[in-house]
Every structure is written in structure tokens, then in C-alpha cells.
Amino acid sequence: MNKGKNIHMLDTLKATQRVVSGQRTTGACHIGHYFGVLKNWIELQHHYECWFMLADLHALTTHYQEPWTLKEHVFEQVIDWLSCGLDPKSCQIFLQSEIQEHAELASLLGMITPLSWLERVPTYKEQLHQLQDREIHTYGFLGYPVLMSADICLYRANFVPVGEDQLPHLELTRELVRKFNHLFGTNPQYQSIVNEALDKMGRHQKKTLLDLKKTYQETGSKDQLETAKTLISSQAHLSHHDREYLLGFVEGAGRMILVEPQALLTPTPKICGLDGNRKMSKSYGNVLNLRENPKEIPFKIKNMPTDPARIRRTDPGEPTVCPVFTYHALYRSKEDCADIAQQCRTAAIGCVDCKNLVAQAIIDFHAPIYEKGLSLKNHPSYIYDVIRQGSKAAKEVAAEQMKMIKESLCIGFN
Ligand code: SF4
């Protein structure tokens, strides 16, 4: 399995590379989403061409019995994203259901997806178990990873940010891409598309690239291949498609209808819920929202469980078994955490005071996000414009990719 790149290698990567990611629109974002997903996206948007998807079709796979909630969730989710630092000038924010190519490609990829690949996805059985109150023994829910593959392939994503536990999902996409390219990669338009792309480079650059290709294919020199890749990447006027075709041409593959995405490994800490013994999740009702009302925060923290062995104020505690301490680690400095740990172990601080300290740190951190959210909520037309513009841009890319996919499958009238 390709373990992908680490997010901390950002400096060495080029802004021309594309990142695609998304979030199901099933309700307000909580702090688990922030530390597990959004914090990474905010950083990525400055280093890559980023496409962030409001995954309402994915939300339907589990929430199809309450479709009336979806539009409100989309609206609130955009407010969440913008409030915490996503900037529509640095990334595209789009609505999955606005681009029909997602459903279309999922259907086509479904033709070549063995059932066994879907049944072995570790989260499938886990989710069936966790969401027992929902009727999700459906074709749509089982096919979730195929739709996810379509989301990634439509935009020819180079990278997909994932945590270690999500690598099997991405590996399924990579297997599907390889299978698709193997079965349908002999695009009859291939040579003419390559020739057009070469002509766009201008005579001199075209000759340089052809020389590099010849030397690479004769000698296998990796240096020549790398120089050719750099030359292709530096051609600002070439489209993503042109670049991918030229890369396939130089490497002698000629089959890059779909791009095999790489994992961009991101730190995804598991945030424990307010009930202390499970991961934070809307389905468990144990969340602290990203835009939580500051007045509610002390009350919610006050009710959290602590070290169960610390019964009296005078008993020493053990911070490593205390859920409250995990929030100290998220919101407070290393020095402050070390200090609290020491005070807890010597019973120098009581749990009430300890909780007050962390509640205040959470309030301070989230106050600007909360305020920005209130302001954005008063400008709904701006929110809808962000979605509309991002979806329009996404549609253009997806339609171009879909045209090539349909050509390779010999369907449609192109
Ligand atoms: S003092 Fe703080 S860290 Fe220690 S048990 Fe109480 S709440 Fe947890």
C-alpha cells in the first residue's frame, strides 16, 4: 500500500497539484471536525489547488429519511468552514449534488467494482454496527466508497488528505483507477490530444520534451524523467488534462484516463466526546460544536466525567485517564498542561477549578469563530454565492473529465 506523503512536506510541493476532500452535510461541525479535518484544510488551501466538497449525496446514504434537513445543514456547514478560516479566494467550495457527474461517474465505476471490495472496507461493518437506529442495509450505503472514488477522480486529484484509518478507502479508489485505466486506457483520441498539448508548448519546449522522452525511454534515466516532469509542470498555459496526458506520453503509459491519487497523511487526533468514553460524534450526542455559544461551554465542560478514581477533593488524580485533560492538551500550551498534570497528581487543584481553566481556554479559542459565524449568518446571499461560484467552477472541471471518460467507454455522442 502506498503510504503517501506527509502533510509536513508541504514546502517541497507545487501549488499546481490538486487536493480534493469533502465532508458529509449531516449537521453542525464540532471540535472533532475542526481538529481532525478543518485545521488541515486551512493549511492546505495555501499550498495546493484545493477543492472542498459539501457532500450532500453522501449525507443521503445515512440520512435519506430526513432529506428536509439537508439544505439547512449545507448552509450552516459553509458558515462553519468560513468562520474557522477557509477562504473562497484560496480554495473552491462546492456542492456535490449540483454536479451531476458525481452520480454519473459513480454509476460507471460501479460497473467494474467487485462486491467483495466494498464488503471488505473496514468502516462498512463498523458503521452498520454503530448506526443501528438507521436502516442503512442499502445499495447506496454499501456503494459509498464508489461514490467517494468518483468524487476524487472527477477532479483528477493528485492528493487526498486522509488519516491512517482512512487509508483503506483511498486504496480502494487507487485500485479502481488502475482497473479502469487498464480496461479503458486505450483512448482512441489519445495521440491527437497529446499532439495538441505538445503544440501548445511552442516549438522549442516541444522539442526539448520530445528529446527528454526519447532519452528516458532509451536509457531509463530517472533524471531525464524528472526534468521532463518539471518542464511540463512549468507550462502555465497547459490545462490539468494536457499535463496528465503529456506525463503519460513521456512515461510511455498512455493510459491516464483517471489519475491515481496519493494519500496526503494528515494528523487526525481522535477527540473524545463530552461523555468521556467515546469518540466525539453527532450520533452519540456528545459534541462540543465549533460555533458553540460561549455561555454553554462552561456548563458542558462542568458535566464531563473525570478520573473515576478521584472521588474526594483531597484524592490525587491521574490526568492520563481523565477526558478533561485531553481538552487541556488541545487548547493549552505544553507548559500549562505539564503544570495541570502535576497539580492534579498532587491534589493541588480540584476538578472544578481545572474544568474552569479549560472551559475558559475553549471560550477564548472559539470566540472569534463564534463571532464570525454570527456575522456570516446575517449575509445568506454571500454564503449562497460562495456555493454557486465554487459549484460552477467544479462543474467545468467535472464535465471536461466526464467527456474523456465517456469517450474511453464509447458511450454518448461526442
Ligand atoms: S484535576 Fe483536572 S485532570 Fe485531574 S482528574 Fe480533575 S479534571 Fe481531570
Side-chain angles (χ1 to χ4, degrees), residues 291-311:
R291 287 182 288 128
E292 192 75 54
N293 185 330
K295 289 185 188 141
E296 295 291 322
I297 293 173
F299 177 72
K300 292 199 167 178
I301 299 295
K302 187 176 147 208
N303 288 325
M304 282 186 76
T306 60
D307 172 2
R310 192 173 188 201
I311 297 162

Side-chain angles (χ1 to χ4, degrees), residues 72-253:
E72 180 65 16
H73 288 160
V74 166
F75 179 74
E76 291 292 333
Q77 201 154 306
V78 177
I79 294 180
D80 279 334
W81 290 5
L82 300 183
S83 302
C84 69
L86 282 186
D87 179 357
K89 293 194 190 80
S90 303
C91 64
Q92 297 287 359
I93 292 173
F94 67 97
L95 182 60
Q96 187 186 24
S97 61
E98 277 295 283
I99 295 108
Q100 73 207 32
E101 283 81 358
H102 286 261
E104 192 176 9
L105 182 54
S107 166
L108 297 176
L109 291 177
M111 311 295 175
I112 62 164
T113 309
L115 272 180
S116 58
W117 288 13
L118 298 174
E119 285 161 347
R120 76 173 186 221
V121 171
T123 47
Y124 175 62
K125 286 203 174 86
E126 199 180 296
Q127 291 263 296
L128 283 182
H129 178 70
Q130 280 180 0
L131 303 175
Q132 283 178 9
D133 55 330
R134 293 185 182 272
E135 178 39 67
I136 52 172
H137 289 85
T138 58
Y139 166 70
F141 186 67
L142 178 67
Y144 178 102
V146 181
L147 180 57
M148 201 183 85
S149 300
D151 303 333
I152 295 166
C153 293
L154 269 183
Y155 301 94
R156 303 180 71 77
N158 304 100
F159 296 108
V160 178
V162 287
E164 284 273 352
D165 57 337
Q166 296 159 319
L167 279 171
H169 280 105
L170 190 64
E171 194 52 27
L172 189 143
T173 300
R174 290 162 55 82
E175 282 181 66
L176 262 181
V177 167
R178 288 195 287 268
K179 186 170 180 182
F180 188 98
N181 285 340
H182 175 70
L183 288 171
F184 311 115
T186 48
N187 180 354
Q189 309 292 325
Y190 172 73
Q191 197 53 53
S192 63
I193 296 171
V194 167
N195 288 342
E196 273 177 35
L198 283 169
D199 288 343
K200 285 184 201 167
M201 293 180 70
R203 254 179 58 201
H204 178 66
Q205 308 274 44
K206 173 179 170 180
K207 181 173 180 322
T208 308
L209 187 67
L210 290 173
D211 288 345
L212 287 165
K213 172 186 188 284
K214 187 163 178 278
T215 316
Y216 166 65
Q217 295 201 335
E218 282 171 3
T219 64
S221 159
K222 288 264 186 288
D223 286 348
Q224 299 291 308
L225 178 62
E226 287 310 312
T227 311
K229 284 181 176 176
T230 308
L231 177 62
I232 293 167
S233 301
S234 69
Q235 305 296 302
H237 52 290
L238 290 181
S239 69
H240 241 35
H241 275 184
D242 291 336
R243 288 203 185 99
E244 295 299 343
Y245 265 99
L246 287 177
L247 284 173
F249 170 67
V250 170
E251 290 184 270

Side-chain angles (χ1 to χ4, degrees), residues 308-333:
R310 192 173 188 201
I311 297 162
R312 290 176 295 270
R313 166 67 180 81
T314 49
D315 293 338
E318 178 45 55
T320 55
V321 298
C322 174
V324 176
F325 188 71
T326 64
Y327 290 8
H328 278 279
L330 285 176
Y331 289 96
R332 306 190 70 216
S333 68

Side-chain angles (χ1 to χ4, degrees), residues 305-307 310 317-319 322-325 328 340 343-345 349-352 354-355:
T306 60
D307 172 2
R310 192 173 188 201
E318 178 45 55
C322 174
V324 176
F325 188 71
H328 278 279
I340 281 291
Q343 291 192 53
C344 172
R345 289 189 179 113
I349 189 169
C351 292
V352 173
C354 178
K355 285 178 172 179

Side-chain angles (χ1 to χ4, degrees), residues 234-407:
S234 69
Q235 305 296 302
H237 52 290
L238 290 181
S239 69
H240 241 35
H241 275 184
D242 291 336
R243 288 203 185 99
E244 295 299 343
Y245 265 99
L246 287 177
L247 284 173
F249 170 67
V250 170
E251 290 184 270
R255 316 178 156 156
M256 297 185 68
I257 305 294
L258 302 183
V259 173
E260 199 172 324
Q262 286 191 57
L264 190 62
L265 285 176
T266 54
T268 49
K270 282 215 170 35
I271 310 298
C272 89
L274 290 169
D275 56 4
N277 49 18
R278 290 184 295 190
K279 175 182 148 193
M280 187 170 284
S281 164
K282 274 171 276 192
S283 39
Y284 298 142
N286 62 359
V287 305
L288 194 61
N289 284 328
L290 180 67
R291 287 182 288 128
E292 192 75 54
N293 185 330
K295 289 185 188 141
E296 295 291 322
I297 293 173
F299 177 72
K300 292 199 167 178
I301 299 295
K302 187 176 147 208
N303 288 325
M304 282 186 76
T306 60
D307 172 2
R310 192 173 188 201
I311 297 162
R312 290 176 295 270
R313 166 67 180 81
T314 49
D315 293 338
E318 178 45 55
T320 55
V321 298
C322 174
V324 176
F325 188 71
T326 64
Y327 290 8
H328 278 279
L330 285 176
Y331 289 96
R332 306 190 70 216
S333 68
K334 275 196 176 129
E335 294 74 31
D336 287 342
C337 288
D339 187 38
I340 281 291
Q342 201 265 341
Q343 291 192 53
C344 172
R345 289 189 179 113
T346 54
I349 189 169
C351 292
V352 173
D353 290 338
C354 178
K355 285 178 172 179
N356 285 340
L357 280 174
V358 81
Q360 191 55 51
I362 296 172
I363 291 170
D364 292 346
F365 183 87
H366 287 274
I369 298 174
Y370 180 73
E371 293 300 326
K372 189 161 181 198
L374 288 181
S375 151
L376 285 168
K377 227 171 163 160
N378 289 327
H379 298 89
S381 58
Y382 171 69
I383 301 298
Y384 291 123
D385 274 352
V386 167
I387 303 173
R388 229 172 265 126
Q389 283 173 20
S391 301
K392 186 166 172 267
K395 173 77 186 175
E396 280 172 24
V397 176
E400 196 188 343
Q401 172 71 342
M402 203 60 210
K403 186 167 174 277
M404 190 162 74
I405 290 167
K406 286 166 93 169
E407 275 168 9

